[in-house]
């Protein structure tokens, strides 16, 4: 796991000294991603500089250093990530009698040999892993920028000051002397809706994220400054999803569980290979418990596991994780944090995430990564299970809502929504408390008023796609918040492949989640939090063989009798008793609502000051002040909408002197 950066100046206006100095500054900004070593490679005639920061994981010797040149001398690479099946690829190369004078045992060397033997497309088809790389073909004078299939590793690129900049994080691009960062107001609108920046957008004009599963070929001879060719896909989630829907798994539940277990064991075993200490995050939920159970089943010694707990019981999963760890016999570490300790990391977030990012679980994710790094260099994570096996609450709620109200005329749904929204949440809560003894248990909700107001926002949806958009949106009309600019049409949700248009609502949501929410929110959160502390996070549930199998599963094997992740639970229960993991989905949250009314109030009020907002010229103060005062009064819980604004304001202050 590393950090990469580089500059390509097709006009060759930068000499070797300037290329080296600029790339060196870019690499210096990524030391946290690679504290163990660094290197530069420059081809002044081509106007190219490649920079690398190394976190040594496989082959700790100098033979694993980058930039690395292939044995044939044709290719040069800087690379961030892991090729988990590099040993098998090496054996395949050796079986093909490919004469390679191996220098070490790094996956980087094998990757270069594979490219030299099979070409870029042929090698990529064989790789199982997470990666972002810049590969220079010295013979064709072409630069390949490549990103892994699901988007686990980031890669930003774009023209600035007449040169092409690229790197693992925006801070690397901003470190180059040619950087000219202008905030993109359309991207800001998307951020306000989603609490993250959906690819290929970034917060800056002209800077994009390379889409997952794509590569970009940049031939120096034909490259036009200011323009980029279209990225080419080497793997398409849409094609995998369509193939799965067309050819579903034909076996019964036992056969499906056996195949899922085989694929899980294979993925977990491959991701346990490392030349440094390794462990796993453990929340005690279905996904992380499954990963840890399969790690422990294939390990000769106790696996290191890590959990963050909070003093607030409603947000504390530590006891659940401890029970699973005790049953499996892992070497478990738990850290229980106070609110003050968690709040102390908030000033670090704008620098860590580089562009506005407002998934508040970024805080516990950073804290658990920081704790784990004291003991290990690699951690396996359970992320991806919700997207593959229908684990989010919306996968159950959305079809239920639509089936009950979708048939009503639009005017009727709008009238019902207005009626629900007219009563303040606190009044609804009081009513539900009054009726608690006569209501059935399924209707005795905590925060009933907030839930009913959320329902009121969903009822006017014009279609199932619109309902999904409302479910994933924080600010439903972000353009109303902008001082100038508008939201680009059709950006949310991701485009649906033709083969899924006739599929059920949940299946379509799973595609949108995997194409959008997963790479843009979940994987950004995990990558930035872990790499900020020089920890490699691996996600075995996103092995592309597992992803393809999950798309072949009928929906009844994902949701059954109202229970999500049905098939994944069948595998887990072979290793861990159901009573240790069967509980309501909790999420990885913090008590943000009360923090904003209490210890974070002064910080928030400073960032939300109307005069400040007007001076900056990005956001209108009126709608923000309205919900801020409602939140402080306790009449509404606007924690998530406020956090979106606050994280933009904090980012603006740090990066643009706002």
């Amino acid at each position: 796991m590393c950090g990469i950066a580089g500059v390509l100046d097709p006009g060759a206006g930068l000499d070797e000294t300037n290329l080296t100095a600029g790339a060196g500054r870019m690499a210096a900004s990524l030391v946290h991603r690679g504290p163990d070593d660094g290197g530069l490679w420059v081809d002044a005639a081509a106007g190219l500089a490649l920079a690398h920061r190394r976190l040594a994981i496989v082959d700790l010797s100098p033979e694993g250093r980058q930039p690395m040149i292939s044995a044939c001398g044709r290719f040069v690479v800087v690379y961030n990530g892991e090729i988990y099946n590099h040993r098998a690829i090496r054996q395949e190369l050796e079986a093909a009698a490919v004469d390679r004078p191996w220098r070490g045992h790094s996956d980087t060397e094998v990757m270069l040999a594979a490219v030299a033997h099979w070409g870029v497309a042929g090698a990529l088809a064989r790789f199982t892993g997470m990666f972002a790389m810049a590969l220079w073909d010295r013979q064709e004078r072409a630069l390949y920028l490549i990103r892994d299939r699901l988007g686990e590793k980031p890669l930003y690129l774009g023209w600035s000051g007449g040169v092409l900049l690229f790197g693992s994080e925006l801070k690397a691009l901003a470190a180059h002397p040619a950087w000219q960062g202008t905030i993109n107001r359309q991207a800001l609108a998307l951020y306000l809706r989603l609490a993250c920046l959906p690819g290929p957008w970034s917060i800056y004009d002209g800077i994009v994220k390379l889409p997952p599963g794509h590569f970009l070929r940049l031939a120096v001879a034909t490259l036009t400054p200011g323009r980029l060719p279209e990225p080419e896909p080497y793997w398409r989630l849409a094609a995998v999803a369509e193939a799965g829907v067309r050819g579903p798994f034909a076996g019964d539940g036992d056969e499906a569980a056996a195949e899922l277990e085989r694929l899980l064991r294979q993925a977990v075993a491959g991701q346990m290979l490392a030349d440094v200490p390794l462990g796993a995050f453990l929340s005690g939920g279905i996904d992380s418990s499954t990963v840890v159970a399969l790690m422990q089943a294939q390990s000769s010694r106790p696996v290191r596991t890590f959990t963050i707990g909070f003093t607030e019981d409603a947000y504390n999963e530590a006891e659940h994780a401890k029970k699973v760890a005790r049953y499996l016999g892992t070497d478990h570490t738990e850290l229980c944090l106070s609110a003050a300790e968690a709040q102390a990391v908030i000033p670090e977030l704008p620098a860590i995430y580089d562009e506005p990012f407002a998934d508040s679980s970024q805080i516990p994710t950073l804290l658990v990564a920081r704790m784990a790094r004291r003991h290990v260099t690699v951690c396996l994570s359970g992320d991806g299970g919700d997207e593959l096996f229908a684990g989010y609450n919306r996968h159950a709620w959305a079809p239920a809502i639509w089936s009950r109200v979708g048939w009503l005329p639009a005017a009727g749904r709008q009238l019902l929504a207005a009626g629900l929204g007219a009563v303040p949440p606190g009044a609804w809560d009081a009513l539900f408390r009054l009726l608690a003894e006569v209501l059935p248990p399924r209707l005795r909700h905590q925060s009933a008023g907030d839930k009913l107001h959320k329902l009121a926002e969903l009822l006017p949806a014009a279609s199932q796609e619109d309902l999904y958009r409302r479910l994933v949106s924080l600010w439903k009309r972000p353009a109303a918040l902008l001082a100038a600019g508008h939201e680009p049409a059709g950006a949310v949700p991701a485009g649906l492949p033709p083969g899924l248009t006739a599929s059920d609502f949940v299946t379509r949501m799973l595609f949108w989640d995997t194409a959008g929410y997963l790479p843009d929110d979940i994987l950004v959160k995990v990558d930035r939090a872990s790499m900020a502390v020089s920890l490699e996070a691996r996600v075995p549930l996103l092995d592309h063989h597992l992803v393809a199998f999950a798309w072949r599963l009928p929906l009844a094997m994902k949701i059954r009798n109202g229970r999500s992740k049905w098939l994944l639970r069948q595998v887990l229960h072979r290793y861990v008793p159901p009573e240790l993991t069967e509980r309501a989905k909790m999420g990885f949250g913090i008590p943000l609502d009360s923090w904003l009314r209490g210890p974070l109030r002064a910080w928030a009020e400073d960032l939300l000051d109307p005069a400040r907002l007007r001076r900056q010229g990005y956001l209108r103060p009126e709608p923000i002040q309205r919900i801020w005062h409602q939140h402080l009064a306790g009449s509404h819980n606007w924690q998530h909408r406020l956090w979106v604004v606050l994280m933009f304001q904090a980012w603006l202050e740090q990066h643009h002197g706002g």
Side-chain angles (χ1 to χ4, degrees):
M1 187 66 64
C2 308
I4 66 171
V7 56
L8 180 61
D9 176 17
L14 298 176
D15 60 20
E16 183 169 354
T17 299
N18 285 319
L19 284 168
T20 301
R25 288 176 58 174
M26 297 175 82
S29 73
L30 298 175
V31 169
H32 55 285
R33 295 187 77 94
D36 297 331
D37 196 7
L40 295 170
W41 186 88
V42 174
D43 182 340
L48 176 70
L50 300 176
H52 188 259
R53 290 299 316 183
R54 185 186 186 197
L55 177 62
I57 302 293
V58 175
D59 192 347
L60 310 186
S61 76
E63 302 302 334
R65 294 189 67 191
Q66 297 181 45
M68 185 180 289
I69 302 173
S70 63
C72 64
R74 176 175 173 178
F75 298 100
V76 186
V77 75
V78 286
Y79 150 62
N80 164 31
E82 302 289 348
I83 306 296
Y84 300 122
N85 63 334
H86 68 95
R87 292 180 179 176
I89 293 173
R90 181 166 175 159
Q91 291 173 356
E92 188 178 357
L93 287 165
E94 291 170 345
V98 176
D99 182 20
R100 300 289 172 201
W102 302 110
R103 292 164 287 185
H105 66 274
S106 74
D107 58 338
T108 311
E109 186 178 3
V110 173
M111 180 265 292
L112 280 168
V115 170
H117 184 62
W118 290 301
V120 172
L124 287 172
R126 288 170 167 82
F127 294 160
T128 296
M130 58 176 183
F131 45 83
M133 65 181 78
L135 176 76
W136 174 243
D137 185 335
R138 302 169 81 177
Q139 178 177 303
E140 296 187 0
R141 291 172 61 81
L143 177 68
Y144 290 85
L145 299 178
I146 307 167
R147 193 173 179 203
D148 64 57
R149 292 172 178 86
L150 276 302
E152 293 181 60
K153 293 291 100 188
L155 187 53
Y156 292 87
L157 66 141
W159 292 96
S160 189
V163 299
L164 182 75
L165 305 175
F166 55 90
S168 298
E169 298 181 16
L170 280 172
K171 59 173 61 69
L173 280 64
H176 194 276
W179 174 250
Q180 299 171 340
T182 302
I183 294 174
N184 186 314
R185 292 177 186 265
Q186 287 185 293
L188 175 57
L190 291 171
Y191 162 76
L192 293 170
R193 179 179 292 280
L194 298 175
C196 62
L197 270 298
W201 298 82
S202 85
I203 192 62
Y204 291 114
D205 282 331
I207 306 298
V208 298
K209 301 164 188 167
L210 185 65
H214 283 68
F215 68 86
L216 192 64
R217 185 179 184 274
L218 303 163
V220 172
T222 59
L223 194 59
T224 302
R227 298 180 62 184
L228 290 172
E230 284 295 314
E232 300 179 45
Y234 66 90
W235 184 90
R236 293 176 58 246
L237 175 65
V240 170
E242 288 178 313
V245 170
R246 285 196 310 268
F249 184 79
D252 61 20
D254 290 339
E255 292 169 319
E259 177 63 5
L260 177 58
E261 183 178 15
R262 182 188 72 80
L263 290 169
L264 282 166
R265 289 181 71 97
Q266 178 179 289
V268 168
Q271 298 196 23
M272 289 175 69
L273 298 176
D275 295 336
V276 292
L278 174 142
F281 300 131
L282 178 62
S283 70
I286 302 299
D287 304 334
S288 66
S289 296
T290 301
V291 170
V292 169
L294 292 170
M295 290 177 72
Q296 192 59 69
Q298 300 176 90
S299 177
S300 59
R301 57 177 181 262
V303 170
R304 295 298 307 264
T305 53
F306 304 94
T307 298
I308 283 284
F310 290 99
T311 52
E312 293 90 343
D313 290 341
Y315 297 87
N316 188 17
E317 291 187 299
E319 283 302 314
H320 304 294
K322 185 186 298 182
K323 291 175 182 176
V324 173
R326 187 180 300 123
Y327 183 86
L328 291 172
T330 71
D331 181 0
H332 191 58
T333 301
E334 173 191 314
L335 180 63
C336 190
L337 293 167
S338 68
E341 290 171 302
Q343 293 158 19
V345 308
I346 291 175
E348 303 176 46
L349 299 178
I352 289 172
Y353 285 89
D354 249 4
E355 60 183 347
F357 184 80
D359 181 337
S360 60
S361 63
Q362 64 198 125
I363 294 173
T365 302
L366 174 61
L367 292 169
V368 73
R370 182 170 289 169
M371 176 184 67
R373 186 60 179 93
R374 300 183 193 128
H375 307 275
V376 299
T377 311
V378 177
C379 247
L380 272 62
S381 162
D383 292 294
D386 290 314
E387 290 80 6
L388 296 185
F389 299 101
Y392 290 126
N393 290 329
R394 59 176 166 263
H395 298 146
W397 293 347
I401 292 170
W402 190 255
S403 67
R404 286 168 171 78
V405 302
W407 60 272
L408 287 171
R413 283 185 277 122
Q414 290 173 353
L415 186 62
L416 179 57
L420 291 173
V423 180
W428 281 119
D429 290 342
L431 178 62
F432 271 71
R433 285 194 298 270
L434 185 65
L435 300 175
E437 293 186 4
V438 298
L439 287 174
R442 63 187 179 87
L443 294 180
R444 298 173 192 170
H445 292 293
Q446 285 188 337
S447 304
D450 285 337
K451 291 181 172 63
L452 287 172
H453 272 240
K454 289 177 182 177
L455 176 61
E457 293 179 336
L458 301 175
L459 288 174
S463 64
Q464 291 179 341
E465 180 179 88
D466 186 28
L467 178 57
Y468 176 84
R469 183 183 299 107
R470 290 167 181 262
L471 280 165
V472 299
S473 298
L474 277 299
W475 287 88
K476 306 298 189 287
R477 293 178 295 279
L481 213 61
L482 297 178
H486 62 277
E487 183 180 16
V492 182
L496 194 69
L500 264 61
T501 54
S503 60
D504 62 83
F505 191 13
V506 176
T507 297
R508 282 177 280 144
M509 283 195 288
L510 291 175
F511 178 81
W512 291 324
D513 287 340
T514 309
Y517 183 64
L518 178 69
D520 298 329
D521 185 304
I522 299 299
L523 296 178
V524 168
K525 176 183 65 179
V526 172
D527 174 81
R528 304 306 189 278
S530 59
M531 293 311 298
V533 297
S534 307
L535 177 74
E536 174 168 297
R538 299 177 175 179
V539 191
L541 291 177
L542 295 185
D543 181 292
H544 69 281
H545 304 95
L546 258 172
V547 173
F549 177 70
W551 273 101
R552 293 183 59 211
L553 293 173
L555 186 59
M557 289 189 182
K558 297 178 181 179
I559 301 177
R560 183 172 295 188
N561 299 324
R563 300 293 289 169
S564 65
K565 305 181 188 176
W566 179 82
L567 192 65
L568 193 61
R569 293 172 194 267
Q570 306 316 299
V571 174
L572 174 59
H573 295 163
R574 297 178 179 186
Y575 298 87
V576 177
E579 58 268 20
L580 294 186
T581 57
E582 293 297 316
R583 64 182 191 276
K585 187 175 180 63
M586 192 171 184
F588 203 20
I590 54 173
L592 192 56
D593 56 341
S594 60
W595 289 3
L596 289 173
R597 295 186 185 101
L600 295 181
R601 178 171 176 170
W603 168 78
E605 288 196 319
D606 181 51
L607 291 174
L608 301 181
D609 177 66
R612 180 181 192 150
L613 292 168
R614 291 190 187 95
R615 183 182 71 251
Q616 292 165 338
Y618 292 103
L619 301 176
R620 295 177 57 241
E622 294 81 10
I624 296 169
Q625 285 296 305
R626 183 168 57 251
I627 70 163
W628 175 236
H629 292 306
Q630 290 175 350
H631 187 84
L632 290 178
S635 63
H636 293 71
N637 179 5
W638 295 122
Q639 58 177 333
H640 299 302
R641 291 190 190 184
L642 289 167
W643 192 245
V644 170
V645 175
L646 288 165
M647 283 294 96
F648 172 72
Q649 288 295 101
W651 172 84
L652 190 65
E653 178 180 53
Q654 182 159 123
H655 292 270
H656 293 270

